[in-house]
Structure formats: C-alpha cells, structure tokens
C-alpha cells in the first residue's frame, strides 16, 4: 500500500503544471504531504515538501514540525535522513546518504559499491538554495548555510557557513 501512495506522489510531482493548478498551491501541498505520510515518511505538523522533489525511499525520511523543503530538490536516502523542527530549505537542495568506495586499487571505483551513512539536520536551521549535503553529516541546531554551499563535514551550532566546501563564516548574532 505504501508503494501505491508513493507512485501517486511521484505522478503528482511529474505532472505538476503550475499554470493548470494556479491558486491550488496550498491544497496541493497538503495532498503531497498526505501521500508522503501514507508512503512511510514521518512528517510533522505544518511541514511541507514542495513540488517536483524527488525522494528515493520515503520510509527513510523524517521531518519535524514547521519545516519546508524547496521545490525541485533531490533526496537520495538509502539510509535515514532526519530533519528537525523549524528548518527552511531552499529550492534545488541535494542530499545523499551514499558515497562510493574507492580503496581497492585493483578494481574500478564504479564496481566497488557504496558506503551509506545517515544524515542528521537539527532544528532552527536555514539552508539556502542549491545546497548539497553529503553522506554522514551532522548539522547541529541553529545554523545558516549559504546558497550553493557543499556540506561534507559536521557543522557546529550557532554559526553561518558558506562555500565549497562549507566553511565557518561568523557567529549568528
């Protein structure tokens, strides 16, 4: 049954036509969230995943309350991704729990498989558009990540980060 609702969610994303559904944005958001919950995702009250967002495995996604993920985002979650409360994520966000193995010199990298690690994003976080978060990262509470940044290491609470890779810019006042 979960698979059926995920297929419906995917179809709604695939055939979402803004001009056709003008004025129905909030109702479509509610429908999308219901289908994701029925597909196995845990989603808190007042949270939304915007249109055209790809989610690999709905069962491995948990979003707290009052959080949002921008449109056209990509969530590759073969392991669990946890997103806390009051998290705002910009459009075209990319997150992936997998990373290629590459330690066997006698074998092509593409044949060595992957290592999957969970990703944790705390609460009270603002993530700009087109941010990429890689496998195994933990982001503590109250963090801002600048648009276009690449997060490949844990981020400490109370700071603004930006860049490729993301670096500590300054303390949040």
């Amino acid at each position: 049954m979960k698979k059926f609702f995920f297929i419906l969610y995917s179809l709604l994303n695939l055939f979402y036509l803004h001009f056709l559904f003008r004025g129905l944005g909030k109702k479509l958001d509610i429908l999308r969230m219901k289908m994701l919950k029925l597909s196995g995702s845990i989603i808190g009250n007042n949270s939304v995943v915007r249109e055209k967002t790809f989610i690999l495995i709905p069962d491995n996604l948990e979003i707290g309350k009052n959080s949002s993920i921008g449109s056209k985002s990509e969530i590759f979650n073969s392991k669990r991704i946890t997103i806390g409360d009051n998290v705002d994520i910009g459009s075209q966000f990319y997150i992936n729990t997998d990373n290629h193995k590459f330690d066997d010199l006698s074998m092509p990298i593409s044949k060595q498989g992957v290592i999957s690690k969970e990703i944790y994003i705390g609460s009270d976080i603002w993530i700009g558009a087109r941010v990429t978060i890689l496998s195994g990262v933990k982001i503590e509470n109250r963090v801002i990540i600048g648009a276009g940044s690449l997060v490949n290491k844990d981020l400490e609470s109370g700071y603004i980060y930006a860049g490729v890779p993301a670096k500590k810019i300054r303390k949040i006042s």
Side-chain angles (χ1 to χ4, degrees), residues 9-76:
Y9 165 82
S10 300
L11 288 173
L12 178 66
N13 271 333
L14 185 62
F15 296 112
Y16 181 85
L17 301 172
H18 185 70
F19 66 90
L20 186 61
F21 295 114
R22 185 166 290 161
L24 294 179
K26 182 80 171 163
K27 290 178 182 174
L28 285 175
D29 287 345
I30 292 168
L31 177 61
R32 200 178 308 106
M33 293 308 90
K34 284 186 181 192
M35 284 191 286
L36 273 177
K37 287 177 184 178
L38 290 169
S39 300
S41 295
I42 299 169
I43 301 175
N45 292 337
N46 300 317
S47 289
V48 64
V49 176
R50 300 282 179 212
E51 70 275 358
K52 296 184 181 178
T53 293
F54 171 81
I55 299 169
L56 183 64
I57 304 172
D59 286 350
N60 286 342
L61 180 63
E62 181 176 347
I63 303 172
K65 61 183 186 242
N66 304 312
S67 294
S68 66
I69 298 175
S71 63
K72 300 178 186 172
S73 294
E74 297 180 31
I75 300 172
F76 291 91

Side-chain angles (χ1 to χ4, degrees), residues 83-169:
I83 299 171
D85 300 334
N86 303 304
V87 176
D88 288 321
I89 301 174
S91 62
Q92 297 180 6
F93 170 66
Y94 177 87
I95 189 168
N96 195 335
T97 60
D98 295 340
N99 199 357
H100 284 276
K101 292 181 186 178
F102 53 87
D103 37 352
D104 185 347
L105 298 176
S106 67
M107 181 183 274
I109 293 171
S110 63
K111 304 288 184 211
Q112 293 187 41
V114 297
I115 299 171
S116 299
K117 295 181 183 175
E118 294 184 0
I119 297 174
Y120 174 82
I121 299 172
S123 295
D124 191 21
I125 294 175
W126 176 21
I127 299 174
R130 295 187 177 131
V131 167
T132 297
I133 298 177
L134 299 180
S135 180
V137 166
K138 179 182 180 189
I139 300 172
E140 294 181 2
N141 297 336
R142 195 154 178 79
V143 166
I144 297 171
I145 304 171
S149 296
L150 169 70
V151 181
N152 61 355
K153 293 187 175 142
D154 295 352
L155 302 184
E156 184 182 349
S157 182
Y159 289 93
I160 298 171
Y161 296 84
V164 178
K167 293 184 173 115
K168 196 182 290 184
I169 302 298

